[in-house]
Amino acid sequence: MKSQGYAALNENGKIEPYAFERREIGANDVALDILYGGICHSDIHQVRGEWGPALFPMVPGHEIVGRVTSIGGSVSKFAVGDLIGIGVFIDSCRTCKNCLVGLQQYCLNGMTGTYNGYERDGTTVAMGGYSNNFVINEDYAVHVPANLPLEGVAPLMCAGITLYSPLKHWNAGPGKKVAIMGLGGLGHMGLKFAAALGAHVTVLSHSPTKRGDALAMGAHDFVVMDSDEAFAGLKRNFDLILNTVSADMPIAKYLDLVAVDGALVMIGLPNEPLTVSVGSLIGSRRTLSGSMIGGIPELQEMLEFCGIHNIVSEVEVIKPEYINEAYDRTVASDVKYRFVIDSSAY
Ligand code: NAP
Ligand code: ZN
């Protein structure tokens, strides 16, 4: 199937127009026209080689919403015309104990990423969502509620699920104090979900200008973490802190803000290993943990939650030729709050 998109041709990081072929649909595949594709900070890390050697040409993009255009003979989950969402992986082994319980993101044999890797056959390079169409096995795509604006749905497929999953896992809800570190693409989704789940939500930011937006999105508090006083005032305060920042942060200082039996969960991936005080863990029975996206059943559950609570991402819709500038603005924390590509413009 012919595809038109944008790719990074090498590690110089520049994204440019790129034509390529996808496989024709097999019996269990669906084909779709992509309507919108989000730009995740993970795309930038990979295009710029910040996560080690990458596969070029690379068509990034793992926040995909589209409409089904054709289905294989054995497909039962989707019909032509359905809205469809695709996230960070397009397959997994299906047989390990994690896949069997719907935690495909933790597949023991390695999930198959939506781009910058090989498909399950081990030879076809997976091409992502900065493009006009896609082919995927029906088991790794989800249904999208019809009542939501689709440009705001695309980022749910990564930014959304990545915050929804730990909020559910650590039981965010009424009576719980949750903090979100970093009000970016991931962080603003965490804020909206935590507020909708009934938790008391505080945004911990390094950008004073984001205060108004944070409060409008449901934050109860907004604290700029630029002084010792800011930290001192929040000691042992939070049941759950979700850290969406990829910059190296003073984690030991943030750990001290976690209440007894609370957790600090790493979501952004810093370059350097962490240094933590074991005394800080022991002294308050605190947990330091991590979390990665979410599995297919939880992705579907999250979209249904969004449909009921009218939750979508705050987006700036762009044309493909703006992608390089969008990358620079994202790195500068200058995005409100996710760039989304209009896929009809390829
Ligand atoms: P983003 O839109 O760029 O947001 C990151 C936010 O971090 C910024 O908006 C900013 O918020 C804060 N920040 C940035 N630089 C900072 C600095 N030097 N010091 C302090 N705070 C800083 O990125 P994103 O798309 O949300 O992704 C965030 C990270 O999560 C990336 O590393 C990405 O690769 C990773 N990620 C992880 C998963 C997973 O499954 N675990 C999934 C997707 C992405 P303020 O302006 O409010 O401070
Ligand atoms: Zn992502």
Side-chain angles (χ1 to χ4, degrees):
M1 192 168 86
K2 288 198 178 319
S3 283
Q4 182 63 46
Y6 266 52
L9 301 184
N10 52 51
E11 49 282 284
N12 80 12
K14 191 165 175 296
I15 310 283
E16 50 196 277
Y18 183 68
F20 60 102
E21 299 266 337
R22 296 189 185 278
R23 68 169 186 266
E24 297 298 330
I25 58 169
N28 299 104
D29 289 338
V30 299
L32 51 132
D33 281 342
I34 299 179
L35 299 171
Y36 294 99
I39 294 181
C40 178
H41 206 124
S42 302
D43 302 344
I44 305 173
H45 290 308
Q46 291 176 83
V47 163
R48 296 186 174 175
E50 292 166 6
W51 286 354
L55 267 184
F56 296 102
M58 184 199 301
V59 176
H62 58 209
E63 295 186 335
I64 298 167
V65 63
R67 197 176 286 281
V68 175
T69 52
S70 61
I71 59 171
S74 303
V75 167
S76 56
K77 188 169 157 185
F78 292 97
V80 171
D82 283 357
L83 291 172
I84 181 170
I86 297 167
V88 177
F89 55 92
I90 53 170
D91 212 333
S92 65
C93 84
R94 300 165 185 250
T95 55
C96 76
K97 67 175 187 177
N98 294 338
C99 284
L100 290 176
V101 296
L103 294 171
Q104 296 92 346
Q105 74 274 35
Y106 303 121
C107 173
L108 294 177
N109 297 300
M111 65 174 181
T112 305
T114 306
Y115 68 87
N116 191 23
Y118 292 99
E119 294 191 12
R120 223 68 209 159
D121 65 10
T123 54
T124 309
V125 176
M127 295 293 190
Y130 294 6
S131 56
N132 61 349
N133 59 23
F134 209 91
V135 176
I136 188 165
N137 183 291
E138 63 170 338
D139 296 335
Y140 288 78
V142 289
H143 291 280
V144 170
N147 62 316
L148 299 173
L150 295 177
E151 63 274 23
V153 169
L156 300 176
M157 302 306 302
C158 172
I161 187 64
T162 299
L163 276 287
Y164 181 84
S165 185
L167 286 166
K168 294 291 287 197
H169 183 77
W170 276 276
N171 299 313
K176 292 286 177 73
K177 292 180 104 175
V178 173
I180 307 288
M181 290 171 61
L183 195 67
L186 269 56
H188 89 291
M189 292 312 312
L191 162 54
K192 289 190 177 199
F193 283 132
L197 288 165
H200 182 280
V201 198
T202 303
V203 172
L204 309 177
S205 173
H206 84 310
S207 304
T209 55
K210 294 181 181 175
R211 177 185 299 277
D213 287 347
L215 298 178
M217 284 187 247
H220 302 94
D221 279 319
F222 179 92
V223 185
V224 181
M225 303 305 286
D226 60 354
S227 66
D228 288 343
E229 294 74 55
F231 283 91
L234 294 171
K235 274 204 189 318
R236 298 193 172 185
N237 193 56
F238 299 110
D239 300 298
L240 178 62
I241 301 181
L242 301 180
N243 175 16
T244 75
V245 181
S246 58
D248 294 307
M249 303 291 276
I251 282 301
K253 287 170 74 175
Y254 283 92
L255 203 51
D256 283 342
L257 310 188
V258 176
V260 170
D261 283 337
L264 168 59
V265 181
M266 301 295 294
I267 292 169
L269 195 66
N271 291 327
E272 297 300 323
L274 302 180
T275 302
V276 299
S277 150
V278 174
S280 171
L281 295 174
I282 292 174
S284 292
R285 200 160 58 184
R286 293 174 172 129
T287 302
L288 176 62
S289 191
S291 184
M292 186 171 70
I293 45 177
I296 295 295
E298 198 168 46
L299 201 51
Q300 190 64 66
E301 176 192 310
M302 175 208 62
L303 285 166
E304 277 149 30
F305 183 88
C306 290
I308 292 165
H309 294 271
N310 268 308
I311 292 176
V312 285
S313 173
E314 303 295 313
V315 298
E316 290 188 49
V317 178
I318 62 167
K319 301 290 184 204
E321 54 266 29
Y322 191 76
I323 293 171
N324 293 296
E325 205 168 330
Y327 274 25
D328 290 338
R329 284 186 50 199
T330 300
V331 170
S333 303
D334 174 26
V335 47
K336 296 199 165 178
Y337 277 86
R338 197 60 144 185
F339 286 111
V340 170
I341 306 160
D342 171 1
S343 306
S344 69
Y346 283 111

